[in-house]
Amino acid sequence: MNIPSHLKKVKEVDWTIEELEDFELECKKEWETGEVLGPVHLSKGNEKELIEIFQYVHPNDYVYSTWRNHYHALLHGIPKDWLMDEVKRGRSMKIINKEHNFVISAIVGGIIPQALGTAWALKQKGSDRKVWCFIGDMGFETGEFHLCYKYAKNFDLPLQFVVEDNNLSTNTPTNETWGKKQEVPDDVIYYEYERGFPHHGSGTWVLF
Amino acid sequence: MVDSLTKQKEEMAKFQEAEMLKHLDLRYKNEIIRSMEWLAEKDDTIFLGQAVNYSGNAMFNTTKTIPTEKRIELPVFEDVQMGMSLGMAYEGVVPITSYPRFDFLICAVNQLVNHVDKMSIISEGQYQPRIIIRTSIGSRIPLDAGEQHTQDHTQAFKNLLKRVHVVVLDEWHDVFPAFKHAYERQPVSKYDSLVTLLIEWGDHYNAK
């Protein structure tokens, strides 16, 4: 995984791989009770990469994420009890926390233009805060990414993209649908991993 | 001799234009200009879109008196523009985001319907961004700009949008109060939206 040289570490991450995995296992347990009346998208397999990346994310920075957001939320300082309550309320796909500048969208590529706008506003204010935009490999191939990456780069906006490549969009292989994957720009953080849970749910039949 | 004739022709043209303007009722357009100038006096507003800084559409004539530092001419990327406006609004900026024709706003429907319209609901009122969206039903008189430049999608958008306020500016006296209200109104609940879509009539710019 490449970390662009202009980025500097700003903090130590106080989560371990095991603690992150344990949180998701607790979510899995709650999900399998059949009382969580909303989808969950569990993370597994990218703990090491995210722990490294979040050393560069300042707590005051914005983090934009997707439907699979629990690790991003925890590593950005959102209290785990609050997050678990949200998951239990069926809001796993709606994790938004203004206090921690954490925004998600459940639409592929949906966060990218918003992240661009926030980066524009921060630069306009003379702020030294950044915007981190975590997207999947299919989001990386969208027109939204191309447009926003180009605009952010041309206007030197504080927008850092992170591409998390499990080669699956829901269950559709990205490389197969596009024929191949695009080149990764040097200033984009990119890593590959194998998804440890299904797209949503836990892989266990749940009776609601 | 030739110079004298040219001068006479120019003077005649100016006279004819002045005479024509005496007979036009420009209150509708002037009220839009007054609204834009009033909004431009606010520290937190910014004007963005196509034809806010360069001519090319009648809407330009309603923003050209605004200080250039308040205007951002954007590339043609309507959906990104809408998402960008939302991302700016998270940071307290009030974007006046312009789509010179309703036909062009169609290209921004993903960000408008899935994100701008839903943010107060998804975030349970943590984010209630204020955005003023301008669009215009393209003029048919005296030139009919055709099927792709003159559509009125008002009813369709009223059906699509759950929270965004949709306001049609039918008469000149509707204009200023509507823009003022869009900037000043406060939420009545945590699920209320502070986003307003204001629909202008291109044919009224020079007729009402």
Side-chain angles (χ1 to χ4, degrees), chain B residues 72-155:
Chain B
I72 311 168
E73 186 80 7
L74 288 180
V76 178
F77 55 3
E78 291 89 349
D79 200 48
V80 169
Q81 178 185 328
M82 187 63 74
M84 201 174 170
S85 303
L86 181 58
M88 289 175 172
Y90 294 152
E91 267 297 297
V93 176
V94 179
I96 293 96
T97 189
S98 295
Y99 293 84
R101 294 180 190 275
F102 222 144
D103 318 81
F104 307 163
L105 185 61
I106 292 286
C107 301
V109 164
N110 169 41
Q111 284 293 333
L112 178 58
V113 175
N114 285 327
H115 298 88
V116 169
D117 187 53
K118 305 298 182 293
M119 182 46 65
S120 61
I121 306 168
I122 296 170
S123 73
E124 297 189 317
Q126 292 179 80
Y127 283 105
Q128 291 183 297
R130 188 185 300 279
I131 304 172
I132 297 173
I133 305 165
R134 288 184 66 191
T135 196
S136 175
I137 300 160
S139 174
R140 285 182 180 272
I141 301 169
L143 295 177
D144 185 339
E147 294 306 310
Q148 295 174 327
H149 279 52
T150 59
Q151 297 302 313
D152 176 4
H153 297 297
T154 302
Q155 193 54 53

Coordinates of all heavy atoms in Angstrom, one line a residue, chain B residues 72-155:
Chain B
I72 N -18.4 31.4 -8.9 CA -17.5 30.3 -9.4 C -18.1 29.7 -10.6 O -19.2 29.0 -10.6 CB -17.3 29.2 -8.3 CG1 -17.0 29.8 -7.0 CG2 -16.3 28.2 -8.8 CD1 -17.2 28.7 -5.9
E73 N -17.5 29.9 -11.7 CA -17.9 29.2 -13.0 C -17.4 27.8 -12.9 O -16.2 27.5 -12.8 CB -17.3 30.0 -14.2 CG -17.8 29.5 -15.5 CD -19.2 30.0 -15.9 OE1 -19.7 30.9 -15.1 OE2 -19.8 29.6 -16.9
L74 N -18.3 26.9 -13.1 CA -17.9 25.4 -13.0 C -17.9 24.8 -14.3 O -18.6 25.2 -15.3 CB -19.0 24.7 -12.1 CG -18.9 25.0 -10.6 CD1 -20.0 24.2 -9.8 CD2 -17.5 24.7 -10.0
P75 N -17.2 23.7 -14.4 CA -17.3 22.8 -15.6 C -18.7 22.3 -15.8 O -19.5 22.3 -14.8 CB -16.3 21.7 -15.4 CG -15.5 22.1 -14.2 CD -16.3 23.0 -13.4
V76 N -19.0 21.7 -16.9 CA -20.3 21.0 -17.1 C -20.2 19.6 -16.4 O -19.7 18.7 -16.9 CB -20.7 20.9 -18.5 CG1 -22.0 20.2 -18.7 CG2 -20.7 22.2 -19.2
F77 N -20.7 19.6 -15.1 CA -20.8 18.3 -14.4 C -21.9 18.5 -13.4 O -21.6 18.5 -12.2 CB -19.4 17.9 -13.8 CG -18.7 18.8 -12.9 CD1 -19.2 20.1 -12.5 CD2 -17.4 18.4 -12.3 CE1 -18.4 20.9 -11.6 CE2 -16.7 19.2 -11.5 CZ -17.2 20.4 -11.1
E78 N -23.1 18.5 -13.9 CA -24.3 18.9 -13.1 C -24.4 18.2 -11.8 O -24.7 18.7 -10.7 CB -25.5 18.8 -13.9 CG -25.7 19.9 -15.0 CD -25.1 19.4 -16.3 OE1 -24.4 18.3 -16.3 OE2 -25.3 20.0 -17.4
D79 N -24.3 16.8 -11.8 CA -24.5 16.0 -10.6 C -23.4 16.3 -9.6 O -23.6 16.4 -8.4 CB -24.5 14.5 -11.0 CG -25.2 13.7 -9.9 OD1 -26.3 14.1 -9.4 OD2 -24.6 12.7 -9.5
V80 N -22.1 16.5 -10.1 CA -21.0 16.9 -9.2 C -21.3 18.2 -8.6 O -21.1 18.4 -7.4 CB -19.7 16.9 -9.9 CG1 -18.6 17.5 -9.1 CG2 -19.3 15.4 -10.3
Q81 N -21.8 19.2 -9.4 CA -22.2 20.5 -8.9 C -23.1 20.4 -7.7 O -23.0 21.1 -6.7 CB -22.7 21.3 -10.0 CG -23.2 22.7 -9.6 CD -23.9 23.5 -10.7 OE1 -23.6 23.3 -11.9 NE2 -24.8 24.3 -10.4
M82 N -24.2 19.6 -7.9 CA -25.2 19.4 -6.8 C -24.5 18.9 -5.5 O -24.8 19.3 -4.4 CB -26.3 18.6 -7.3 CG -27.5 18.5 -6.3 SD -28.3 20.1 -6.0 CE -29.2 20.4 -7.6
G83 N -23.7 17.8 -5.7 CA -23.1 17.2 -4.6 C -22.1 18.1 -3.9 O -21.9 18.2 -2.7
M84 N -21.4 18.8 -4.8 CA -20.4 19.8 -4.3 C -21.1 20.9 -3.5 O -20.6 21.3 -2.4 CB -19.7 20.4 -5.5 CG -18.4 21.1 -5.3 SD -17.8 21.6 -7.0 CE -16.4 22.6 -6.4
S85 N -22.2 21.3 -3.9 CA -23.0 22.3 -3.2 C -23.4 21.8 -1.8 O -23.3 22.5 -0.8 CB -24.3 22.7 -3.9 OG -24.0 23.2 -5.2
L86 N -23.7 20.5 -1.7 CA -24.1 19.9 -0.5 C -22.9 19.8 0.5 O -22.9 20.2 1.6 CB -24.6 18.5 -0.7 CG -25.1 17.7 0.5 CD1 -26.1 18.4 1.3 CD2 -25.6 16.3 0.0
G87 N -21.7 19.4 -0.1 CA -20.5 19.3 0.7 C -20.0 20.7 1.2 O -19.5 20.8 2.3
M88 N -20.3 21.7 0.4 CA -19.9 23.1 0.9 C -20.9 23.5 2.0 O -20.4 24.1 3.0 CB -20.2 24.1 -0.3 CG -19.2 24.0 -1.4 SD -19.7 25.2 -2.7 CE -18.3 25.1 -3.8
A89 N -22.1 23.1 1.9 CA -23.1 23.5 2.9 C -22.9 22.8 4.2 O -23.2 23.4 5.3 CB -24.5 23.2 2.4
Y90 N -22.2 21.7 4.3 CA -21.9 21.0 5.6 C -21.0 22.0 6.4 O -20.9 21.9 7.6 CB -21.1 19.7 5.3 CG -21.9 18.6 4.7 CD1 -21.3 17.6 4.0 CD2 -23.3 18.5 4.9 CE1 -22.0 16.6 3.4 CE2 -24.0 17.5 4.3 CZ -23.4 16.5 3.5 OH -24.1 15.5 3.0
E91 N -20.2 22.8 5.6 CA -19.2 23.7 6.3 C -19.8 25.1 6.5 O -19.1 26.0 6.7 CB -17.9 23.7 5.5 CG -16.9 22.7 5.9 CD -16.4 23.0 7.3 OE1 -15.8 24.1 7.6 OE2 -16.6 22.1 8.2
G92 N -21.1 25.2 6.3 CA -21.7 26.5 6.6 C -21.8 27.5 5.4 O -22.3 28.6 5.6
V93 N -21.3 27.1 4.3 CA -21.5 27.9 3.1 C -22.9 27.8 2.6 O -23.5 26.7 2.7 CB -20.5 27.4 2.0 CG1 -20.7 28.2 0.7 CG2 -19.0 27.5 2.5
V94 N -23.5 28.9 2.1 CA -24.8 28.8 1.5 C -24.6 28.9 0.0 O -24.5 30.0 -0.6 CB -25.8 29.9 2.0 CG1 -27.1 29.8 1.3 CG2 -25.9 29.8 3.5
P95 N -24.6 27.8 -0.8 CA -24.5 27.9 -2.2 C -25.8 28.3 -2.9 O -26.8 27.8 -2.6 CB -24.1 26.5 -2.6 CG -24.0 25.7 -1.4 CD -24.7 26.4 -0.3
I96 N -25.6 29.3 -3.8 CA -26.7 29.5 -4.8 C -26.3 28.9 -6.1 O -25.4 29.3 -6.8 CB -27.0 31.0 -5.0 CG1 -27.5 31.7 -3.7 CG2 -28.0 31.3 -6.1 CD1 -26.5 32.3 -2.8
T97 N -26.8 27.7 -6.3 CA -26.3 26.8 -7.3 C -27.2 26.8 -8.5 O -28.4 26.5 -8.4 CB -26.1 25.4 -6.7 OG1 -25.4 24.6 -7.6 CG2 -27.3 24.7 -6.3
S98 N -26.7 27.2 -9.7 CA -27.6 27.6 -10.8 C -27.5 26.5 -11.9 O -26.4 26.1 -12.3 CB -27.1 28.9 -11.4 OG -27.3 30.0 -10.5
Y99 N -28.7 26.2 -12.4 CA -28.9 25.3 -13.6 C -29.7 26.1 -14.6 O -30.9 26.3 -14.4 CB -29.6 24.0 -13.1 CG -28.7 23.2 -12.2 CD1 -28.7 23.4 -10.8 CD2 -27.9 22.2 -12.7 CE1 -27.9 22.7 -10.0 CE2 -27.1 21.5 -11.9 CZ -27.1 21.7 -10.5 OH -26.3 21.0 -9.7
P100 N -29.1 26.7 -15.6 CA -29.7 27.6 -16.5 C -31.0 27.1 -17.1 O -31.9 27.9 -17.5 CB -28.7 28.0 -17.5 CG -27.4 27.7 -16.8 CD -27.6 26.5 -15.9
R101 N -31.1 25.8 -17.3 CA -32.4 25.2 -17.8 C -32.8 24.0 -17.0 O -31.9 23.3 -16.6 CB -32.2 24.9 -19.3 CG -31.9 26.0 -20.2 CD -31.8 25.6 -21.6 NE -31.3 26.8 -22.4 CZ -32.1 27.7 -23.0 NH1 -33.4 27.6 -22.8 NH2 -31.6 28.6 -23.7
F102 N -34.1 23.8 -16.9 CA -34.6 22.7 -16.1 C -34.1 21.4 -16.7 O -33.8 20.4 -16.0 CB -36.2 22.7 -16.2 CG -36.8 22.3 -14.9 CD1 -38.0 22.9 -14.5 CD2 -36.3 21.4 -14.0 CE1 -38.6 22.6 -13.3 CE2 -36.9 21.1 -12.8 CZ -38.1 21.7 -12.5
D103 N -33.9 21.4 -18.1 CA -33.4 20.2 -18.8 C -32.0 19.8 -18.3 O -31.6 18.6 -18.3 CB -33.3 20.5 -20.3 CG -34.6 21.3 -20.7 OD1 -34.6 22.5 -20.5 OD2 -35.5 20.7 -21.2
F104 N -31.2 20.8 -17.8 CA -29.9 20.5 -17.3 C -29.9 20.0 -15.9 O -29.1 19.2 -15.5 CB -29.0 21.7 -17.4 CG -28.9 22.4 -18.7 CD1 -28.4 23.7 -18.8 CD2 -29.3 21.7 -19.9 CE1 -28.4 24.3 -20.1 CE2 -29.3 22.4 -21.1 CZ -28.8 23.7 -21.2
L105 N -30.9 20.4 -15.1 CA -31.1 20.0 -13.7 C -31.3 18.5 -13.7 O -31.0 17.8 -12.7 CB -32.2 20.8 -13.0 CG -32.4 20.5 -11.5 CD1 -31.1 20.8 -10.7 CD2 -33.6 21.3 -11.0
I106 N -32.0 17.9 -14.7 CA -32.2 16.5 -14.8 C -30.9 15.7 -14.6 O -30.9 14.7 -14.0 CB -32.8 16.2 -16.2 CG1 -34.2 16.7 -16.4 CG2 -32.8 14.7 -16.5 CD1 -35.3 16.0 -15.6
C107 N -29.8 16.3 -15.1 CA -28.5 15.6 -15.0 C -28.0 15.6 -13.5 O -27.0 14.9 -13.2 CB -27.5 16.2 -15.9 SG -27.9 16.2 -17.6
A108 N -28.6 16.3 -12.6 CA -28.2 16.3 -11.2 C -29.1 15.6 -10.3 O -29.0 15.8 -9.1 CB -28.1 17.8 -10.8
V109 N -30.0 14.7 -10.8 CA -31.0 14.1 -10.0 C -30.5 13.2 -9.0 O -31.0 13.1 -7.9 CB -32.0 13.4 -11.0 CG1 -32.9 12.5 -10.2 CG2 -32.9 14.5 -11.6
N110 N -29.4 12.5 -9.2 CA -28.9 11.6 -8.2 C -28.5 12.3 -6.9 O -29.0 12.0 -5.8 CB -27.6 10.8 -8.7 CG -26.9 10.1 -7.6 OD1 -27.6 9.5 -6.7 ND2 -25.6 10.1 -7.6
Q111 N -27.7 13.3 -7.1 CA -27.3 14.1 -5.8 C -28.5 14.8 -5.2 O -28.7 14.9 -4.0 CB -26.2 15.1 -6.2 CG -24.8 14.4 -6.3 CD -24.3 13.8 -5.0 OE1 -24.6 14.2 -3.9 NE2 -23.5 12.7 -5.1
L112 N -29.4 15.3 -6.1 CA -30.5 16.1 -5.6 C -31.5 15.2 -4.8 O -31.9 15.5 -3.7 CB -31.3 16.8 -6.7 CG -32.5 17.6 -6.3 CD1 -32.2 18.7 -5.3 CD2 -33.1 18.3 -7.6
V113 N -31.9 14.1 -5.4 CA -32.9 13.2 -4.8 C -32.4 12.3 -3.7 O -32.9 12.2 -2.7 CB -33.6 12.4 -5.9 CG1 -34.6 11.4 -5.3 CG2 -34.3 13.4 -6.9
N114 N -31.2 11.6 -4.0 CA -30.7 10.7 -3.1 C -29.9 11.3 -1.9 O -29.8 10.6 -0.9 CB -29.8 9.7 -3.8 CG -30.5 8.7 -4.7 OD1 -31.6 8.3 -4.3 ND2 -29.9 8.3 -5.8
H115 N -29.4 12.5 -2.1 CA -28.5 13.0 -1.1 C -29.1 14.4 -0.5 O -29.4 14.4 0.7 CB -27.1 13.2 -1.6 CG -26.5 11.9 -2.1 ND1 -26.7 11.4 -3.3 CD2 -25.8 11.0 -1.4 CE1 -26.1 10.2 -3.4 NE2 -25.5 10.0 -2.2
V116 N -29.2 15.4 -1.3 CA -29.6 16.7 -0.9 C -31.0 16.6 -0.2 O -31.2 17.1 0.9 CB -29.7 17.7 -2.0 CG1 -30.4 19.0 -1.6 CG2 -28.3 18.0 -2.5
D117 N -31.9 15.9 -0.8 CA -33.2 15.8 -0.3 C -33.3 14.9 1.0 O -34.2 15.0 1.8 CB -34.2 15.2 -1.4 CG -35.6 15.2 -1.0 OD1 -36.1 16.3 -0.6 OD2 -36.3 14.1 -1.1
K118 N -32.4 14.0 1.1 CA -32.5 13.0 2.2 C -31.6 13.2 3.4 O -31.7 12.5 4.4 CB -32.2 11.6 1.6 CG -33.0 11.2 0.4 CD -34.5 11.1 0.8 CE -35.4 10.6 -0.4 NZ -35.4 11.5 -1.5
M119 N -30.7 14.2 3.3 CA -29.7 14.3 4.3 C -30.2 14.6 5.7 O -29.8 14.0 6.7 CB -28.6 15.4 3.9 CG -27.5 15.6 4.9 SD -26.7 14.1 5.5 CE -26.0 13.4 4.0
S120 N -31.2 15.5 5.8 CA -31.8 15.8 7.1 C -32.5 14.5 7.7 O -32.4 14.3 8.9 CB -32.8 16.9 7.1 OG -33.9 16.6 6.2
I121 N -33.0 13.7 6.9 CA -33.7 12.5 7.4 C -32.6 11.4 7.8 O -32.7 10.9 8.9 CB -34.6 11.9 6.3 CG1 -35.6 12.9 5.7 CG2 -35.3 10.6 6.8 CD1 -36.3 12.5 4.5
I122 N -31.7 11.2 6.9 CA -30.7 10.1 7.2 C -29.8 10.5 8.4 O -29.6 9.6 9.2 CB -29.7 10.0 5.9 CG1 -30.5 9.4 4.7 CG2 -28.6 9.0 6.3 CD1 -29.7 9.5 3.4
S123 N -29.5 11.8 8.5 CA -28.6 12.2 9.6 C -29.5 12.5 10.9 O -28.9 13.0 11.9 CB -27.8 13.4 9.2 OG -28.6 14.6 9.2
E124 N -30.8 12.3 10.8 CA -31.7 12.7 11.9 C -31.5 14.1 12.4 O -31.4 14.4 13.6 CB -31.5 11.6 13.0 CG -31.9 10.2 12.6 CD -32.0 9.2 13.8 OE1 -31.1 9.3 14.6 OE2 -32.9 8.4 13.8
G125 N -31.3 15.0 11.4 CA -31.3 16.4 11.7 C -29.9 16.9 12.2 O -29.7 18.1 12.4
Q126 N -28.9 16.0 12.2 CA -27.5 16.5 12.5 C -27.1 17.5 11.4 O -26.5 18.5 11.7 CB -26.5 15.4 12.6 CG -26.7 14.4 13.7 CD -25.7 13.3 13.6 OE1 -24.6 13.5 14.0 NE2 -26.1 12.2 13.1
Y127 N -27.4 17.2 10.2 CA -27.1 18.1 9.1 C -28.4 18.6 8.5 O -29.2 17.8 8.1 CB -26.2 17.4 8.0 CG -24.8 17.2 8.3 CD1 -24.3 15.9 8.7 CD2 -23.9 18.3 8.3 CE1 -23.0 15.8 9.0 CE2 -22.5 18.1 8.6 CZ -22.1 16.8 9.0 OH -20.8 16.6 9.3
Q128 N -28.5 19.9 8.5 CA -29.7 20.5 7.8 C -29.1 21.6 6.9 O -29.3 22.8 7.1 CB -30.7 21.1 8.8 CG -31.4 20.0 9.5 CD -32.5 20.5 10.5 OE1 -32.2 21.2 11.4 NE2 -33.7 20.1 10.2
P129 N -28.4 21.2 5.8 CA -27.7 22.2 5.0 C -28.7 23.1 4.3 O -29.8 22.7 3.9 CB -27.0 21.3 4.0 CG -27.7 20.0 4.0 CD -28.3 19.8 5.3
R130 N -28.2 24.3 4.1 CA -29.0 25.3 3.4 C -28.4 25.5 2.0 O -27.3 25.9 1.8 CB -29.1 26.7 4.1 CG -30.0 27.7 3.5 CD -29.9 29.0 4.2 NE -30.2 29.0 5.6 CZ -31.4 29.0 6.1 NH1 -32.5 29.0 5.4 NH2 -31.6 29.0 7.4
I131 N -29.3 25.2 1.0 CA -28.8 25.4 -0.4 C -30.0 26.1 -1.2 O -31.1 25.7 -1.0 CB -28.5 24.0 -1.1 CG1 -27.5 23.2 -0.3 CG2 -28.1 24.2 -2.5 CD1 -27.3 21.8 -0.8
I132 N -29.6 27.0 -2.0 CA -30.6 27.6 -2.9 C -30.3 27.2 -4.3 O -29.2 27.5 -4.9 CB -30.6 29.2 -2.8 CG1 -30.9 29.6 -1.3 CG2 -31.5 29.9 -3.8 CD1 -30.7 31.0 -1.0
I133 N -31.3 26.5 -4.9 CA -31.1 25.9 -6.3 C -31.9 26.8 -7.2 O -33.1 26.9 -7.0 CB -31.5 24.5 -6.3 CG1 -30.8 23.6 -5.3 CG2 -31.3 23.9 -7.7 CD1 -31.4 22.2 -5.0
R134 N -31.2 27.3 -8.2 CA -32.0 28.1 -9.3 C -32.1 27.3 -10.5 O -31.1 26.7 -11.0 CB -31.2 29.4 -9.6 CG -31.3 30.4 -8.5 CD -30.6 31.7 -9.0 NE -31.3 32.3 -10.2 CZ -30.8 33.3 -10.9 NH1 -29.6 33.7 -10.7 NH2 -31.5 33.8 -11.9
T135 N -33.2 27.3 -11.1 CA -33.4 26.7 -12.5 C -34.4 27.6 -13.2 O -35.1 28.4 -12.6 CB -33.7 25.2 -12.5 OG1 -33.4 24.7 -13.8 CG2 -35.1 24.9 -12.2
S136 N -34.5 27.3 -14.5 CA -35.4 28.1 -15.3 C -36.0 27.3 -16.4 O -35.3 26.4 -17.0 CB -34.6 29.3 -16.0 OG -35.4 30.0 -16.9
I137 N -37.3 27.5 -16.6 CA -38.0 26.8 -17.7 C -37.6 27.7 -19.0 O -37.9 28.9 -19.0 CB -39.5 26.8 -17.5 CG1 -39.8 26.0 -16.2 CG2 -40.2 26.2 -18.7 CD1 -41.2 26.3 -15.6
G138 N -37.0 27.0 -19.9 CA -36.4 27.7 -21.0 C -37.4 28.5 -21.9 O -38.6 28.1 -22.0
S139 N -37.0 29.6 -22.3 CA -37.9 30.5 -23.1 C -38.3 29.9 -24.4 O -37.5 29.3 -25.1 CB -37.1 31.8 -23.3 OG -37.8 32.7 -24.2
R140 N -39.5 30.2 -24.8 CA -40.1 29.7 -26.1 C -40.4 30.9 -27.0 O -40.7 30.7 -28.2 CB -41.3 28.9 -25.9 CG -41.1 27.5 -25.4 CD -42.4 26.7 -25.3 NE -42.2 25.4 -24.8 CZ -41.9 24.3 -25.6 NH1 -41.8 24.5 -26.9 NH2 -41.8 23.1 -25.1
I141 N -40.4 32.1 -26.4 CA -40.8 33.3 -27.2 C -39.6 34.4 -27.2 O -39.1 34.6 -26.1 CB -42.1 33.9 -26.6 CG1 -43.2 32.9 -26.6 CG2 -42.5 35.2 -27.4 CD1 -44.4 33.3 -25.8
P142 N -39.2 35.0 -28.2 CA -39.7 34.7 -29.6 C -39.0 33.5 -30.2 O -39.5 33.0 -31.2 CB -39.3 36.0 -30.3 CG -38.0 36.5 -29.6 CD -38.3 36.1 -28.2
L143 N -37.9 33.1 -29.6 CA -37.2 31.9 -30.2 C -37.6 30.7 -29.4 O -37.6 30.7 -28.1 CB -35.7 32.0 -30.2 CG -35.1 33.1 -31.1 CD1 -33.6 33.2 -30.9 CD2 -35.5 32.9 -32.5
D144 N -38.0 29.6 -30.0 CA -38.3 28.4 -29.3 C -37.0 27.5 -29.3 O -36.5 27.0 -30.3 CB -39.4 27.6 -30.0 CG -39.9 26.4 -29.2 OD1 -39.1 25.9 -28.4 OD2 -41.0 25.9 -29.4
A145 N -36.5 27.3 -28.1 CA -35.2 26.7 -28.0 C -35.3 25.1 -28.1 O -34.3 24.5 -28.1 CB -34.5 27.0 -26.6
G146 N -36.5 24.6 -28.2 CA -36.6 23.2 -28.6 C -36.8 22.3 -27.4 O -36.8 22.7 -26.3
E147 N -37.0 21.0 -27.8 CA -37.4 20.0 -26.8 C -36.5 19.8 -25.6 O -36.9 19.5 -24.5 CB -37.7 18.7 -27.5 CG -38.9 18.7 -28.5 CD -40.1 19.2 -27.8 OE1 -40.5 18.7 -26.7 OE2 -40.8 20.1 -28.4
Q148 N -35.2 20.0 -25.9 CA -34.2 19.7 -24.8 C -33.8 20.9 -24.0 O -32.9 20.8 -23.2 CB -32.9 19.1 -25.5 CG -33.2 17.7 -26.1 CD -32.0 17.1 -26.8 OE1 -31.3 17.8 -27.4 NE2 -31.9 15.8 -26.8
H149 N -34.4 22.0 -24.3 CA -34.1 23.3 -23.6 C -35.3 24.0 -23.0 O -35.1 25.1 -22.5 CB -33.3 24.2 -24.6 CG -31.9 23.9 -24.8 ND1 -31.4 22.7 -25.1 CD2 -30.8 24.7 -24.6 CE1 -30.1 22.7 -25.2 NE2 -29.7 23.9 -24.9
T150 N -36.4 23.5 -23.1 CA -37.6 24.3 -22.7 C -38.6 23.5 -21.8 O -39.7 24.0 -21.5 CB -38.4 24.7 -23.9 OG1 -38.8 23.6 -24.6 CG2 -37.6 25.7 -24.8
Q151 N -38.2 22.4 -21.2 CA -39.2 21.5 -20.5 C -39.5 22.1 -19.1 O -38.6 22.7 -18.5 CB -38.7 20.1 -20.4 CG -38.5 19.4 -21.7 CD -39.8 19.3 -22.5 OE1 -40.8 19.0 -21.9 NE2 -39.7 19.7 -23.8
D152 N -40.7 21.8 -18.7 CA -41.1 22.2 -17.3 C -41.3 20.9 -16.5 O -42.3 20.2 -16.7 CB -42.4 23.0 -17.4 CG -42.9 23.3 -16.0 OD1 -42.3 23.0 -15.0 OD2 -44.0 23.9 -15.9
H153 N -40.4 20.6 -15.6 CA -40.5 19.3 -14.9 C -40.9 19.6 -13.4 O -40.7 18.8 -12.6 CB -39.1 18.6 -14.8 CG -38.6 18.2 -16.2 ND1 -39.2 17.3 -17.0 CD2 -37.5 18.6 -16.9 CE1 -38.6 17.1 -18.1 NE2 -37.5 17.9 -18.1
T154 N -41.6 20.7 -13.2 CA -42.0 21.1 -11.9 C -42.7 19.9 -11.1 O -42.4 19.6 -10.0 CB -42.9 22.3 -11.9 OG1 -42.1 23.4 -12.5 CG2 -43.2 22.8 -10.5
Q155 N -43.8 19.4 -11.8 CA -44.6 18.4 -11.1 C -43.8 17.1 -10.8 O -43.9 16.6 -9.7 CB -45.8 18.1 -11.9 CG -46.9 17.3 -11.1 CD -47.3 18.0 -9.8 OE1 -47.6 19.1 -9.8 NE2 -47.1 17.3 -8.7

